[in-house]
Each structure stands twice: as C-alpha cells, then as structure tokens.
Amino acid sequence: MSIRTTIAIMGVTVALLLAGCGSGGGEETGEARNELRVAMAVMPKGPSLDPMLTTYGNPEMANLYDGLTAIDADGRIVPGLATEWKSVDPTTWRFTLRKGVRFHNGEEFTADDVVYSFERMKDPANESTQVTQMAYLAGVKKVDDYTVDLITAQPYAPLPAAVRVQLRIVPKDYIEKVGNAAFAKAPVGTGPYKFVEWVQDQRIVHAANENYWAGAPKIKKITYLSAPEASTRTSMLLAGEADLIEAVLDTDVKRIESASGKQIVRADTAYINYIGINALKPPFDDVWVRQAMNYAVDVETIINSVLGGNGTLLPISNSTNHAGFDPELKPYPYDPDRAKALLAEVGLGANIPPQVIEVGQGRQPYNAEVAQAVAGYLTEVGIPTTVKVMESAAQFERYVGGKADSLAYNGMTSFALDSDAIFTLMFTDGSRGSQYFDTSKTSDLALKGQGAADPAKRAEIYRELQQIIREEAPHIFLFQTIDVYAASDRLVWDGPVATREMPFATAYFK
C-alpha cells in the first residue's frame, strides 16, 4: 500500500511517496527507539544555535524555537506564539500572544520575552547577525502580558511573515541568569523539541517537548548526525544508520531508488545561488565586464550536467518563489561571442589578471563543482579563473564580513518568502551587498518597495528595481535550487518547506 503526500509550497508542488516496501539494514533499531536520525552535510547549518547569531533556517533551530508566526506545509503564514495580529496603523502591528506556553526550562512565555528577544538582538554589544535583516523593525512595545506592538520605521507589508524566523523568541530570565555564552551551549526555546546535547562535529540531539503547546511530537528523539561526504550519507541511509539524509548527489539517486524501503524526495526551494562580484574593484567596476561574465556562463548546462536538472535558471539573484519576483524578467542567454566582444570593447582583451572564486564546501553537495564550471567558462572568454575551496562557515563569514576578494560563491533565501529580504540585504546602502556593489541606483527603490502598502505599487517598484539589478549585473546570476533528500519509506513527514527548514513536529514512523 502506498501513500502520496503532496506538499504545495507557494505554488510549487513537491511529491513525497512513502511506500511500505520493507526495510533494510539496521533501520529497525532507530524506529524501535522512536528516534529520527538525520544525516546532515553541514551540522549545524549556522555557526551557533543562538537565533541572534545565525541567519540560517537550519532544522536544529526550526525545531527548538518558535516565532510569533509559523509556516504550514502549503507555505501559508499561520499562528505561532501569537494567535492573531492586525495592523493598528501604517507602522504598528499588534500581536496577541498565546497563553499557557512554557519554555523548555519551565518559564512562562510572556510579552517580556518578545521585547527582550528583540532588544537583545539589536544590542550592538551582542553582534547579532540578524540586525541587518531586521532593519525594518524599529521597536517592540509591551502593551500587556499577552499583547505586544511591533513598530516599523515605515509601512512594512510582509512583517507577519518576516518575524517568523528573524524574531525567534528566547527566555529573558534564563539568559539574564546564565549569559549569552552559556545559552548558546544549552539553548532553551518553546519549540516542539528540547536541546539535549551537542558533540562538536558529531551530533546534535533533541528530545520531544512533551508539553508543546501544539501537542507533543510523535517522534521522541531526533539525532542530527554530521556526515559531510555525500557518499557517507547515502551509505548511512542504505545501511539503516540514518532515516533521512539531505543533499543527495544526482549520481546516488538511482542507487537509492533501487534499494528496498527507500525513497527520493525532491523539494523546490526559494534558495538562490550566485557568484558575487566585487564591483567596487577593477576591472569589475565596469558594468560591461560584469555583463560579459553573465553572457560567458552556460548556466543551463551547469544545471543539467552538475545538478542533474535539479535547478531553475534565474534572471537575477531573486527566487521565483518570493513575492515580488518579476516573472517577465529573462535570464542572460549563453553568448560567449558577445562576452568576448564586450571585454574587447572596454579594452581588456587578454589583459585581465587571474581571478579566484572563493567557495565554501559542504553546505550544498555541488558548490565546488558549480564554481569549477563557472571558472572554466570565464577562462574561455579571456578571464582566467581558478577556484579556492574553503570550509563553508569560514567562507561565509569572510563574504558577509566584506573580506572576499573578487569573486565569491554565495546563496540565500527569504524566510518570509518575500523579495524584500533579498533586496534589503543586498541592494541598500550600508547592507551586506554594499560592501561589493555601488547601491546608489538600487537603495531608494528597495526601501520604497519595502514601504509600499499597496501591492500594485509595490510590484511596479520591484519591476523597476529588478531591471536595474539585471542590467548592473552585480552577480553572475545562477539558479534556484531543487533540493534532493532521501528517506526511509516508513517516515511520514510533510517534507521541507521552501525556505529549507525541516519541521518534524508532526512527523512519525508508520
């Protein structure tokens, strides 16, 4: 007997077939303990389990903490720690908080924790990596124990979706007692799972929160296992040492599909991939050079040959699953002759010095291979390029810190599934992107779009902005990822959401 679970995410359908065909290897052991073992390419995804110190929606975080709002399997924003919300005036959103919720350590959740979670993040002394993404939020005010006002600097339509991940709620009294460092080592949230242990480079363990406000999870233990090599993850699944693995290589798909009791799960995402260009540094400060680089790269062939077709060609660094994306915008065509002509027109010819693409290995299974392919295409048109593979977290920190050299592989998504997060983070003055690109043509438009309450006006502003981004070519625009997972066919799970989070609150073994 087979069960087909269809997960619709912002108009994208992910089919998860869970067929009862027997099991393999030692799989019974994990299920007998009611334990879900997840083999991860990078574990944890971000540098910390403290929500103010990571911009990733990694599964370890998504199951530990709650936000005021949540996302369901259909990509809709639904109540979380807030039961309802409304716009009081153009710059004030009022949230009514859920009563009777307790943190994992027994503390009661109240408005004080919401205010504290915001103020802690905004405190410069805490060096939160969320600050830039939370620039739209000017303040959080307690109305009473179960009501808060979120105040924005200007009208901000996607706020209920944006705060879902960017404002994860932490316990005020506990952190004030133990301090930030101790909290990061033993985090406490209100989520469906509680932190048990973190053995560096080996595992992170969670136990079910039996008092979870939405109901106790059916799976009582989750162990996230560090398995950087794709071949190792596949072997673990086939041997019954893991129940779910991420970042499956295309070369392993047929092997897994032919195994008894296993299933491939493909999930469209909102995760965009691009090569960041330091457009403030010669020769990349010339827009024709940057355009030439986009014409030089055959992205469609990279998607098919490196990703096994698991990607969607993009016209700019924005996801088709983000609200505000312009569907009329066309990707750069592969045209190496035009690339060479543009380089000749600006007088470079064969005079471009060697360049290096910095790439982090591990977060996705194909980053280094994609970077190598891009380097090959650039070299063919006269931009000699090589690849420097780095540890993923180190490369990311170097990039966001403004220390990357000329070219850097990067990727990102909007946890609100809204274009604003991309535009604010990459194309406004003082943003991460402004460290590598002159944002004078884009910043005002990005902020106007952020503040436009009227959807039609917002769409008009974003169309103009995205056309400028395409023409200015601050990146080599690549693709949107289709992630490939593999799982035991006994795991019943709604699947990952478009933002790559992996919620397990309702998962179970059948």
Side-chain angles (χ1 to χ4, degrees):
M1 177 172 149
S2 65
I3 301 174
R4 181 175 294 276
T5 304
T6 302
I7 308 160
I9 304 172
M10 301 298 289
V12 182
T13 300
V14 178
L16 173 58
L17 180 63
L18 299 169
C21 304
S23 64
E27 190 175 5
E28 290 288 338
T29 304
E31 294 177 26
R33 295 195 303 266
N34 204 359
E35 174 187 7
L36 174 63
R37 299 155 301 168
V38 186
M40 309 285 291
V42 177
M43 188 283 302
K45 296 291 185 188
S48 173
L49 294 181
D50 185 332
M52 78 169 182
L53 298 177
T54 184
T55 57
Y56 289 99
N58 49 312
E60 311 95 337
M61 300 275 284
N63 292 288
L64 278 177
Y65 302 100
D66 290 315
L68 297 179
T69 58
I71 189 172
D72 68 9
D74 296 321
R76 297 172 300 196
I77 298 302
V78 296
L81 290 177
T83 56
E84 59 183 359
W85 52 89
K86 62 181 178 179
S87 178
V88 177
D89 59 49
T91 59
T92 304
W93 288 81
R94 177 158 293 176
F95 286 75
T96 300
L97 305 182
R98 190 178 299 275
K99 296 180 180 179
V101 176
R102 292 193 174 274
F103 288 97
H104 300 152
N105 65 344
E107 291 181 23
E108 184 183 5
F109 158 71
T110 70
D112 291 329
D113 300 298
V114 180
V115 174
Y116 176 75
S117 296
F118 169 76
E119 292 181 345
R120 175 175 180 259
M121 188 184 306
K122 285 286 189 175
D123 185 348
N126 290 331
E127 299 181 333
S128 171
T129 55
Q130 288 278 16
V131 170
T132 301
Q133 297 192 50
M134 290 285 287
Y136 60 85
L137 192 57
V140 176
K141 179 182 178 182
K142 176 181 177 180
V143 178
D144 58 43
D145 282 349
Y146 295 101
T147 310
V148 293
D149 284 345
L150 272 61
I151 303 162
T152 58
Q154 61 178 354
Y156 188 64
L159 183 139
V163 298
R164 179 183 69 84
V165 168
Q166 293 169 356
L167 188 60
R168 288 189 170 115
I169 307 304
V170 297
K172 176 179 183 291
D173 291 346
Y174 174 67
I175 298 177
E176 288 185 338
K177 178 181 178 180
V178 303
N180 287 336
F183 175 75
K185 294 179 180 178
V188 170
T190 60
Y193 286 90
K194 302 185 293 184
F195 176 82
V196 175
E197 68 171 350
W198 178 2
V199 181
Q200 197 76 33
D201 299 324
Q202 293 186 37
R203 65 184 179 274
I204 291 175
V205 180
H206 289 173
N209 177 7
E210 298 296 340
N211 299 311
Y212 188 48
W213 57 266
K218 293 182 179 179
I219 293 177
K220 299 307 178 184
K221 180 180 180 182
I222 301 178
T223 301
Y224 303 96
L225 299 165
S226 178
E229 297 296 328
S231 59
T232 301
R233 294 192 296 277
T234 296
S235 295
M236 291 172 69
L237 178 71
L238 296 178
E241 297 169 1
D243 309 293
L244 174 65
I245 65 173
E246 64 167 358
V248 177
L249 291 178
D250 183 58
T251 51
D252 287 336
V253 169
K254 288 184 179 179
R255 182 182 169 203
I256 294 171
E257 287 180 326
S258 65
S260 175
K262 306 292 184 270
Q263 183 57 231
I264 292 292
V265 182
R266 288 183 174 86
D268 195 9
T269 75
Y271 192 82
I272 60 173
N273 296 256
Y274 61 91
I275 305 292
I277 304 171
N278 191 339
L280 304 179
K281 178 180 178 180
F284 306 122
D285 55 348
D286 191 310
V287 66
W288 282 9
V289 175
R290 302 194 300 273
Q291 289 180 358
M293 297 168 77
N294 276 279
Y295 285 119
V297 180
D298 188 349
V299 180
E300 192 165 5
T301 292
I302 291 175
I303 291 172
N304 291 327
S305 62
V306 179
L307 278 65
N310 294 307
T312 302
L313 187 65
L314 292 176
I316 65 168
S317 297
N318 191 23
S319 171
T320 62
N321 289 328
H322 288 164
F325 174 82
D326 181 4
E328 300 301 318
L329 210 58
K330 303 300 181 185
Y332 275 79
Y334 173 52
D335 192 340
D337 291 335
R338 189 170 183 182
K340 292 175 183 177
L342 284 170
L343 294 176
E345 188 71 23
V346 297
L348 288 176
N351 298 320
I352 299 179
Q355 303 296 325
V356 176
I357 300 175
E358 298 178 0
V359 58
Q361 179 70 303
R363 190 168 303 282
Q364 298 181 121
Y366 47 72
N367 283 9
E369 289 77 9
V370 171
Q372 291 285 1
V374 171
Y377 284 118
L378 294 178
T379 300
E380 286 179 5
V381 300
I383 305 174
T385 307
T386 57
V387 171
K388 180 180 180 181
V389 179
M390 307 170 63
E391 191 275 326
S392 182
Q395 187 266 340
F396 177 74
E397 293 302 318
R398 179 173 164 81
Y399 179 72
V400 301
K403 298 177 181 178
D405 192 10
S406 297
L407 303 172
Y409 192 113
N410 195 29
M412 63 182 299
T413 189
S414 164
F415 292 110
L417 294 176
D418 191 280
S419 297
D420 169 70
I422 303 294
F423 298 154
T424 301
L425 192 62
M426 300 304 297
F427 303 113
T428 56
D429 296 342
S431 68
R432 177 191 302 174
S434 68
Q435 299 174 107
Y436 303 102
F437 171 65
D438 181 357
T439 56
S440 58
K441 294 182 180 180
T442 58
S443 188
D444 285 348
L445 284 170
L447 294 175
K448 285 179 182 177
Q450 182 187 81
D454 177 55
K457 180 63 175 177
R458 192 169 190 250
E460 178 184 343
I461 294 169
Y462 277 170
R463 275 194 296 271
E464 181 181 356
L465 172 60
Q466 288 171 95
Q467 185 61 50
I468 292 172
I469 293 170
R470 185 186 184 279
E471 292 173 357
E472 288 294 315
H475 309 143
I476 299 175
F477 307 124
L478 296 176
F479 51 83
Q480 172 178 301
T481 301
I482 298 173
D483 282 342
V484 183
Y485 302 79
S488 161
D489 67 356
R490 295 187 176 187
L491 177 64
V492 179
W493 176 48
D494 285 336
V497 295
T499 52
R500 286 184 152 181
E501 294 155 279
M502 296 160 62
F504 296 123
T506 59
Y508 62 94
F509 287 111
K510 64 183 181 72

